[in-house]
Amino acid sequence: MKYIILTLSLVTISVNAGDNIDFVVSSERVFNSDKQKFEALDVGVCGKKICAIAGRGSLKANAKKYLDYGTKVISPGFIDPHTHSLSELSKYSTRANLNYLTQGVTTVINGNDGKSPESIVKTAKQLLEQGIGTNVAFFIGHNTVRNAVMGQADRKATLSELKKMKMLVEQNMQAGALGLSTGLYYLPGTFASTEEVVELAKIAAEYQGIYETHLRDESTFNIGFLNAIKEAIAIAEQAKMPLHLGHIKALGVDVWGQSTKAIELVQAAQKRGVKITADQYPWLASGTSISGAVVPSWVREGGKKATIKRLNDKTLYQKIHAEITENIRRRGGAERLLITVTEQPNISGKTLAEVAKSHSKSPADTVIELAKGPVVKVASFNMLEQDVKNFMVKPWVVTSSDGSNGHPRKYASFPKKLKTYVLEQQLITLETFLLQSTTATANALNIDDRGAIRLGLNADLIIFEPTSVKVNASFKQWNILSTGFNDVFINGQYVVQDGSYNGVLAGEFVKPHTL
């Protein structure tokens, strides 16, 4: 008899009698995302794949190794749709991606905000040759494509330039990109028209790609938050493709409370048939450079040298000073901008207001001086918690980190959401948190080979006790690893055991299900 058929009241499975299951993980609380509930199950793994699922204890006789986790949660590994982790993955010393592994994240997405490798296939090949600690997937970035063809030019693309950009998008979609990402707030994307983005998005749509965007405005910097939502929806509708809103937020005092109207816009479009999802990090502060936060884009056009030249131009001083002052106000004031990464240790950990006072300068003048030197990172406390909560409870919003140096979100976003919004405030259930961090994210990104505990999927699994998970990073010390996600499997390989990373580099290049 070639197969042993195990028929249970719970599920039906087939196990090849000639090959025992490599290992089984078992618990009273295995998360079934299809039913959105916990079940007492055995989960069998053969090679990279989940090859058996049965009632607890049923697979013990078939397993080479049986790992009983008692009442700990067994969940699919988390998928972070917005990470900026390529620099870590590319370096030998950080390629294990421990700041994500220790959050329970087994797959990271890169290429967000319009910034990606120019050649995804080349980058993926290099990463796999050296080995990486987590799985990785990519968007092709509009800013990257535009910069490759047009540089930082503030003008409309010619037909020839648009054709070249389309070719780059198509090449990368063929290589396995999830879709096209834009960062229309950033350079040079801010110089692009809606029509340009639509034309490029249509190429990605031909390959069933997603349109992922950092909105042109999350505040009142240019067209306004709600108008930026409308623009994103219009691009997706015209290109006939799904829309994913990156790190959705109402940023700054002028738009606090507008989450309700933003949600109404999204849900109205969904009723028209537009597939829309979003991701969100569970913090009240965003993170970027001080230049990106408050220096106008026209000042930054052309790169660092051009920026410094304008900042030193006395004829432009009044205009620049006024616009920086207004941008600081939008973000809630100089006391809400915390300096987190700088080559000047005497100002690290201080607010812009404190630094300005200590130098007897205005906040705007302080920014002008800081923007001339090495990159200064800030945490911008610009969000209203009720807006964060309004977005978080929506079934189309998933968990992300938008990880960046200088912000604890890079080290603790998933633990933060679990601790604050599940265990403490009970805004969402543990089951909802797990769904928003796994299967819902996979569905949003067209990833169908992982993200759930199902037969035939890759065995990316995490085991943890929710109450033992700890957020160790803070805005004062942003780069401390989280603890509590003590057992992690990636593609069937044990990579974190009893809280310790074992050195295994099991990550793969993840492509959408259309390829």
Side-chain angles (χ1 to χ4, degrees):
M1 180 177 179
K2 186 176 181 180
Y3 291 98
I4 300 171
I5 307 297
L6 301 178
T7 303
L8 307 163
S9 59
L10 197 59
V11 289
T12 301
I13 63 169
S14 296
V15 180
N16 192 320
D19 297 308
N20 287 336
I21 300 170
D22 290 330
F23 66 90
V24 169
V25 293
S26 180
S27 172
E28 294 291 330
R29 290 194 293 172
V30 177
F31 182 58
N32 183 330
S33 55
D34 295 323
K35 297 180 181 179
Q36 296 184 38
K37 70 176 187 179
F38 294 108
E39 295 178 329
L41 294 175
D42 284 354
V43 180
V45 177
C46 301
K48 296 180 180 180
K49 304 290 185 179
I50 297 172
C51 59
I53 303 173
R56 187 155 151 78
S58 301
L59 299 178
K60 199 166 188 178
N62 296 84
K64 296 176 183 177
K65 183 181 291 185
Y66 190 84
L67 303 172
D68 189 340
Y69 290 101
T71 60
K72 289 183 179 180
V73 169
I74 297 180
S75 167
F78 298 154
I79 301 173
D80 190 332
H82 199 124
T83 72
H84 305 294
S85 59
L86 181 56
S87 60
E88 283 77 25
L89 291 171
S90 300
K91 296 176 185 175
Y92 184 87
S93 60
T94 56
R95 58 183 175 159
N97 219 8
L98 289 181
N99 59 296
Y100 281 103
L101 279 181
T102 52
Q103 294 184 62
V105 175
T106 55
T107 300
V108 296
I109 311 303
N110 278 279
N112 309 90
D113 295 345
K115 184 179 181 180
S116 72
E118 189 173 328
S119 172
I120 287 172
V121 65
K122 179 180 178 181
T123 301
K125 183 175 183 293
Q126 291 172 342
L127 293 177
L128 296 182
E129 284 177 350
Q130 72 163 16
I132 51 177
T134 59
N135 301 309
V136 65
F138 292 95
F139 285 98
I140 176 62
H142 167 244
N143 285 356
T144 295
V145 167
R146 196 177 210 269
N147 193 62
V149 174
M150 298 177 60
Q152 298 280 307
D154 180 5
R155 61 173 174 79
K156 182 179 178 180
T158 65
L159 289 177
S160 175
E161 288 168 338
L162 188 60
K163 183 178 180 180
K164 291 177 182 177
M165 285 191 278
K166 286 181 177 180
M167 288 177 60
L168 284 173
V169 172
E170 184 165 36
Q171 289 169 5
N172 281 281
M173 289 304 301
Q174 291 172 344
L178 299 173
L180 174 72
S181 83
T182 59
L184 300 179
Y185 174 75
Y186 298 115
L187 302 178
T190 189
F191 303 137
S193 66
T194 302
E195 292 72 25
E196 175 182 310
V197 179
V198 169
E199 289 304 302
L200 297 179
K202 286 178 179 178
I203 302 300
E206 292 176 6
Y207 295 86
Q208 292 76 54
I210 301 155
Y211 175 59
E212 190 269 354
T213 183
H214 179 302
L215 295 170
R216 194 179 292 273
D217 196 351
E218 297 173 325
S219 186
T220 55
F221 289 105
N222 44 74
I223 65 174
F225 177 43
L226 298 180
N227 283 331
I229 294 269
K230 292 176 184 177
E231 180 189 39
I233 292 171
I235 291 168
E237 285 190 292
Q238 291 177 49
K240 298 179 181 179
M241 67 196 303
L243 167 64
H244 185 82
L245 301 167
H247 48 52
I248 193 167
K249 68 175 81 70
L251 187 157
V253 294
D254 293 345
V255 296
W256 282 356
Q258 289 189 10
S259 58
T260 301
K261 291 183 179 179
I263 288 166
E264 289 173 357
L265 288 172
V266 168
Q267 292 179 165
Q270 289 171 331
K271 287 181 180 179
R272 296 196 301 268
V274 186
K275 180 183 177 184
I276 304 177
T277 54
D279 63 73
Q280 175 198 48
Y281 51 82
W283 306 87
L284 301 183
S286 61
T288 186
S289 67
I290 201 164
S291 293
V294 295
V295 177
S297 59
W298 65 267
V299 177
R300 293 180 283 115
E301 181 191 355
K304 189 76 173 184
K305 288 184 178 179
T307 299
I308 293 173
K309 184 177 181 180
R310 293 188 188 97
L311 291 174
N312 287 329
D313 188 336
K314 293 181 179 180
T315 65
L316 296 175
Y317 171 76
Q318 291 297 335
K319 178 178 173 61
I320 292 173
H321 187 280
E323 291 191 27
I324 290 176
T325 299
E326 175 62 3
N327 287 342
I328 291 171
R329 182 203 64 79
R330 285 189 176 98
R331 289 180 176 269
E335 65 277 5
R336 286 179 172 267
L337 290 165
L338 177 70
I339 295 172
T340 58
V341 176
T342 174
E343 293 185 9
Q344 302 178 52
N346 61 313
I347 66 172
S348 181
K350 295 182 180 180
T351 66
L352 176 61
E354 290 171 332
V355 175
K357 184 178 180 180
S358 68
H359 288 76
S360 299
K361 291 184 177 181
S362 69
D365 283 329
T366 303
V367 169
I368 289 171
E369 288 306 309
L370 291 175
K372 295 176 185 177
V375 173
V376 174
K377 294 274 192 172
V378 293
S380 174
F381 290 83
N382 51 49
M383 282 171 265
L384 191 67
E385 185 160 34
Q386 190 55 55
D387 286 325
V388 172
K389 290 180 177 180
N390 288 347
F391 288 126
M392 190 176 291
V393 298
K394 294 302 170 185
W396 41 272
V397 176
V398 301
T399 317
S400 70
S401 68
D402 189 21
S404 60
N405 289 343
H407 198 305
R409 64 190 182 184
K410 185 171 181 175
Y411 280 71
S413 286
F414 289 79
K416 167 69 173 175
K417 185 171 180 178
L418 172 62
K419 178 180 172 61
T420 300
Y421 295 104
V422 177
L423 300 179
E424 294 178 1
Q425 298 188 18
Q426 298 182 11
L427 177 70
I428 58 175
T429 65
L430 177 58
E431 292 90 337
T432 297
F433 164 69
L434 294 176
L435 182 70
Q436 290 177 335
S437 306
T438 59
T439 309
T441 309
N443 292 342
L445 301 181
N446 282 339
I447 294 171
D448 68 351
D449 62 349
R450 65 200 72 232
I453 296 176
R454 298 190 195 121
L455 292 177
L457 269 60
N458 284 42
D460 292 347
L461 302 167
I462 58 176
I463 298 93
F464 64 100
E465 171 51 53
T467 57
S468 297
V469 172
K470 291 184 179 180
V471 175
N472 298 317
S474 68
F475 286 98
K476 294 291 185 180
Q477 292 182 293
W478 58 271
N479 55 353
I480 302 176
L481 297 174
S482 296
T483 51
F485 291 98
N486 289 337
D487 294 274
V488 179
F489 296 86
I490 295 182
N491 298 307
Q493 295 191 60
Y494 216 161
V495 297
V496 177
Q497 184 173 0
D498 297 327
S500 297
Y501 173 59
N502 62 15
V504 173
L505 299 167
E508 295 184 346
F509 173 38
V510 176
K511 297 181 181 181
H513 76 265
T514 53
L515 294 178

